[in-house]
């Protein structure tokens, strides 16, 4: 845990009107100066090309994903000073196409008495007067001289114009007094706001109940500034880990949808993995009664790295999701790396028969170039195809048995490959199990390198779309019915791709280079 320097408290000053004074705002000024210089030391080809990475230092959860003044805004949990987690700031970037990101100055610094241990995850809405409202979790150390002292979490506001933000004079707006009976003031975080059709505002936030499990609380506000508790909207019954984080709640194709990141998950066959996970729960939502009735649940991403997703309703009506393409259980640090953490590709969401489908945003198609296509390629043993290579590609595979009477035993695609390195997906049709494996991707740590999921496959047929961007792969399975994500940090010269079959497979391949 990050420990505050002794000088922190002396720098926390308040003006009479409650706005942070010059001594405190110097912390944000210093961070902005530092990030501007640190960014210059990171070459363009040392970053992902179209996945957002931190301007400098460390990145985790996406915050405040929004569309404001004609641009997509994405804030993120940020430590500009180190490639490891530390005091949380809000980094800030904007885009017109969700793929090219422009860095803006850091938006928030932990410089107030109610957030001096960090400005944690939150969200944004546009106020009726056109200003942008940020709500975030402020963290302070409990005023208690005891080994049992802990961090206290409250919800705070800042208001701005898309670049500069001023913290609200009456922060925090939600604290321990806002919680229902038994609610933990130590685990109360990650507010997600939205503006309702009647012009009022709503917010969900995660909280730990007295049974030790996570739950989602609903709050309301007439103006975005004055908030009150409404009810427990959804509670953990023990199926989904312990504490919950980063809730999102929205309507999609006529259903209410919760996205939640549970901690300390127990596996449920191949649907959920151990540890920190992400789940989607769909159901019916009666807004008048504030009643959510669960119908289905599933994992959001079945791969190795994905956490804390957040969504936006785009101007054209699409529900778009982005997540931290990392996981607390799988942190891989490199001595040479000048940044850590990246976001997933933004994904368009839809529901089919109660199941969440995800597809890369359609904007990516505008940057596809130099197509290479093969059809009905027989694969038995190891096969490489001319023109099929690269670390910034969009590649779709369709596989099926070459012999309808004899099912093949295994198919695999290896990528980011040379004599030393590779990452792979492998599929066993007799089990309908797809596995991602990155143990040969340069890691010297015995962390998680494999994940498996059971997929829908009839007679050994499978469709995979692989999006590679220098340090990551996202596999969209059967047109987005499932997704598996993984990161890897190997030399960019390791760009080979090969195919393998134990048995006989027919393969279709369409590969595009991504030119961004």
């Amino acid at each position: 845990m990050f420990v505050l320097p002794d000088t922190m408290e002396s720098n926390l000053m308040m003006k009479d009107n409650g706005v942070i004074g010059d001594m405190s705002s110097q912390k944000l000024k210093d961070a902005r100066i530092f990030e501007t210089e640190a960014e210059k030391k990171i070459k363009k080809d040392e970053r992902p090309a179209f996945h957002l990475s931190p301007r400098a230092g460390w990145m985790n959860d996406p915050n405040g994903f929004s569309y404001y003044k004609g641009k997509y805004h994405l804030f993120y949990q940020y430590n500009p000073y180190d490639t490891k987690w530390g005091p949380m700031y809000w980094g800030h970037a904007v885009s017109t196409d969700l793929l090219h990101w422009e860095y803006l100055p850091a938006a928030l610094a932990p410089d107030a008495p109610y957030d001096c241990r960090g400005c944690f995850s939150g969200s944004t809405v546009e106020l009726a007067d056109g200003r942008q409202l940020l709500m975030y979790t402020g963290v302070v150390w409990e005023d208690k001289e005891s080994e049992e002292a802990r961090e206290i979490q409250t919800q705070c506001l800042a208001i701005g114009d898309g670049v500069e933000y001023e913290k609200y004079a009456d922060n925090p707006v939600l604290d321990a007094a806002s919680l229902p009976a038994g609610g933990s003031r130590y685990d109360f975080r990650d507010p997600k706001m939205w503006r309702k059709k009647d012009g009022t505002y709503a917010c969900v936030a995660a909280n730990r109940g007295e049974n030790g499990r996570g739950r989602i609380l609903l709050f309301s506000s007439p103006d975005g500034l004055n908030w009150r508790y409404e009810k427990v909207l959804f509670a953990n019954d023990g199926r989904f880990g312990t504490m919950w984080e980063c809730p999102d709640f929205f309507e999609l194709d006529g259903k209410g949808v919760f996205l939640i990141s549970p901690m300390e998950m127990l596996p449920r066959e191949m649907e959920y993995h151990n540890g920190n996970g992400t789940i989607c729960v769909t159901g019916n939502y009666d807004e008048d009664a504030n009643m959510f009735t669960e119908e289905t649940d599933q994992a959001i991403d079945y791969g190795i790295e994905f956490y804390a997703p957040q969504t936006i309703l785009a101007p054209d009506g699409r529900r778009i999701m982005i997540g931290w393409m990392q996981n607390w259980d799988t942190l891989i640090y490199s001595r040479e790396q000048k940044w850590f953490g990246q976001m997933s590709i933004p994904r368009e969401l839809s529901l089919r028969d109660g199941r969440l489908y995800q597809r890369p945003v359609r904007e990516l198609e505008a940057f596809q170039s130099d197509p290479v296509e093969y059809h009905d390629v027989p694969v038995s043993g190891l096969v490489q195809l001319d023109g099929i290579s690269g670390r910034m590609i969009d590649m779709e595979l369709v596989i099926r048995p070459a012999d309808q009477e004899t099912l093949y035993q295994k198919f695999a695609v290896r990528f980011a490959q040379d004599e030393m390195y590779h990452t792979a997906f492998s599929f066993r049709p007799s089990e309908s199990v797809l596995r991602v494996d990155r143990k040969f991707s340069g890691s010297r740590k015995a962390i998680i390198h494999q994940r498996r999921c059971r997929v829908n496959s009839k007679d050994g047929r499978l469709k995979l779309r692989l999006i590679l961007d220098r340090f990551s792969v996202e596999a969209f399975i059967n047109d987005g019915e499932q997704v598996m994500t993984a990161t890897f940090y190997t030399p960019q010269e390791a760009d080979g791709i090969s195919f393998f079959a134990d048995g006989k497979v027919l393969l279709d391949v369409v590969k595009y280079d991504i030119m961004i």
Side-chain angles (χ1 to χ4, degrees):
M1 181 61 67
F2 174 73
V3 178
L4 289 172
D6 294 336
T7 57
M8 173 64 77
E9 296 299 333
S10 65
N11 287 335
L12 295 176
M13 300 179 61
M14 299 291 289
K15 293 182 179 178
D16 293 340
N17 63 4
V19 176
I20 301 303
D22 290 340
M23 288 291 288
S24 291
S25 62
Q26 187 63 44
K27 191 175 184 68
L28 183 59
K29 292 176 184 177
D30 289 346
R32 289 177 167 186
I33 292 170
F34 183 88
E35 67 180 357
T36 300
E37 294 303 311
E39 178 190 6
K40 297 175 183 178
K41 300 175 183 178
I42 306 174
K43 296 178 182 178
K44 184 177 179 180
D45 61 3
E46 293 176 335
R47 297 181 174 276
F50 51 94
H51 290 72
L52 180 64
S53 57
R55 190 172 187 181
W58 162 280
M59 162 192 283
N60 59 286
D61 304 0
N63 298 158
F65 191 24
S66 53
Y67 189 82
Y68 182 67
K69 291 186 176 180
K71 293 183 178 180
Y72 294 98
H73 287 249
L74 186 60
F75 305 83
Y76 52 91
Q77 292 287 271
Y78 184 38
N79 177 14
Y81 298 109
D82 199 345
T83 55
K84 296 184 179 181
W85 189 93
M88 284 292 99
Y89 293 67
W90 271 35
H92 191 188
V94 294
S95 176
T96 58
D97 62 7
L98 295 163
L99 298 168
H100 293 84
W101 292 97
E102 173 191 355
Y103 293 113
L104 294 183
L108 297 176
D111 55 12
Y114 47 78
D115 65 18
C116 58
R117 289 188 71 86
C119 299
F120 281 65
S121 293
S123 57
T124 70
V125 293
E126 185 172 343
L127 292 171
D129 62 9
R131 293 179 298 168
Q132 191 176 36
L133 177 71
L134 279 57
M135 182 184 281
Y136 66 97
T137 299
V139 178
V140 297
W141 191 250
E142 188 174 32
D143 186 16
K144 183 178 178 182
E145 293 184 5
S146 166
E147 292 182 0
E148 297 178 357
R150 299 168 62 184
E151 289 180 330
I152 298 173
Q153 300 177 346
T154 62
Q155 312 318 312
C156 308
L157 301 176
I159 305 171
D161 61 3
V163 179
E164 301 292 342
Y165 298 88
E166 183 178 280
K167 293 179 179 178
Y168 185 48
D170 292 331
N171 278 338
V173 295
L174 291 170
D175 57 18
S178 312
L179 296 173
S184 170
R185 62 176 181 160
Y186 308 114
D187 287 305
F188 174 37
R189 54 185 177 269
D190 309 337
K192 177 62 191 289
M193 298 183 292
W194 68 93
R195 192 174 180 184
K196 300 171 69 173
K197 293 177 182 178
D198 64 4
T200 64
Y201 301 82
C203 167
V204 289
N207 179 237
R208 189 188 295 269
E210 56 190 343
N211 62 2
R213 297 171 181 165
R215 58 186 181 179
I216 305 303
L217 307 183
L218 177 67
F219 299 88
S220 65
S221 171
D223 55 8
L225 304 178
N226 298 283
W227 291 86
R228 69 177 187 184
Y229 167 73
E230 293 289 344
K231 66 179 299 184
V232 175
L233 189 57
F234 187 44
N236 187 1
D237 60 6
R239 290 176 296 159
F240 307 124
T242 54
M243 178 57 187
W244 287 352
E245 296 191 306
C246 304
D248 198 348
F249 186 57
F250 52 89
E251 182 181 342
L252 182 64
D253 298 332
K255 294 293 183 180
V257 178
F258 268 112
L259 306 184
I260 303 169
S261 296
M263 304 170 68
E264 300 175 332
M265 291 273 283
L266 289 173
R268 192 174 78 195
E269 296 182 347
M270 293 189 189
E271 187 62 30
Y272 298 117
H273 301 306
N274 307 64
N276 297 290
T278 54
I279 66 172
C280 169
V281 181
T282 70
N284 291 313
Y285 178 55
D286 183 338
E287 186 176 71
D288 293 333
N290 284 333
M291 182 70 67
F292 175 76
T293 305
E294 176 189 351
E295 292 183 333
T296 68
D297 66 88
Q298 67 175 90
I300 299 174
D301 194 293
Y302 294 79
I304 302 173
E305 274 108 4
F306 190 82
Y307 197 71
Q310 195 170 97
T311 72
I312 180 179
L313 184 63
D316 60 7
R318 289 177 293 166
R319 178 62 61 171
I320 299 174
M321 177 184 72
I322 197 166
W324 182 39
M325 198 157 54
Q326 191 56 61
N327 189 297
W328 296 108
D329 297 327
T330 62
L331 302 179
I332 303 176
Y333 296 103
S334 166
R335 296 189 186 97
E336 297 78 24
Q337 201 164 318
K338 302 171 185 175
W339 57 271
F340 183 85
Q342 54 187 310
M343 297 300 175
S344 71
I345 194 168
R347 304 172 183 179
E348 299 179 16
L349 303 183
S350 61
L351 286 179
R352 303 182 202 172
D353 299 322
R355 183 165 189 85
L356 184 72
Y357 277 71
Q358 307 168 57
R359 296 176 64 90
V361 285
R362 62 196 66 176
E363 284 84 348
L364 184 66
E365 296 169 10
F367 304 101
Q368 296 172 335
S369 68
D370 303 321
V372 179
E373 295 190 39
Y374 290 88
H375 297 279
D376 296 321
V377 176
V379 179
S380 182
L382 186 65
V383 172
Q384 292 179 298
L385 301 174
D386 290 342
I388 304 296
S389 63
R391 290 283 286 263
M392 291 170 51
I393 65 169
D394 184 348
M395 181 173 66
E396 188 166 271
L397 311 177
V398 177
I399 62 173
R400 57 201 177 277
D403 182 352
Q404 296 298 325
E405 302 299 323
T406 305
L407 191 64
Y408 61 94
Q409 297 299 305
K410 177 183 176 181
F411 171 83
V413 53
R414 293 179 176 178
F415 48 90
Q417 181 179 22
D418 63 7
E419 294 79 8
M420 180 175 292
Y421 304 114
H422 71 264
T423 300
F425 283 96
S426 60
F427 176 61
R428 293 187 179 275
S430 62
E431 303 172 345
S432 286
V433 170
L434 181 69
R435 180 177 67 178
V436 61
D437 187 341
R438 55 119 187 255
K439 64 178 173 288
F440 294 106
S441 294
S443 173
R444 298 178 185 274
K445 299 291 184 179
I447 62 171
I448 298 168
H449 292 309
Q450 297 180 354
R451 290 290 199 196
R452 299 184 301 161
C453 73
R454 183 166 285 114
V455 301
N456 284 326
S457 173
K458 184 177 180 180
D459 301 324
R461 295 181 62 91
L462 187 68
K463 188 175 184 180
L464 289 178
R465 182 179 177 186
L466 305 183
I467 309 295
L468 272 67
D469 183 10
R470 290 188 177 137
F471 307 102
S472 66
V473 61
E474 292 166 273
F476 295 81
I477 305 158
N478 292 332
D479 295 314
E481 185 177 22
Q482 291 163 293
V483 186
M484 299 182 78
T485 300
T487 63
F488 45 86
Y489 301 93
T490 52
Q492 296 302 296
E493 294 76 20
D495 64 353
I497 297 174
S498 63
F499 309 97
F500 170 83
D502 180 357
K504 297 179 180 180
V505 167
L506 288 181
L507 171 67
D508 297 339
V509 184
V510 180
K511 188 221 78 172
Y512 297 94
D513 292 329
I514 301 299
M515 303 299 291
I516 288 186

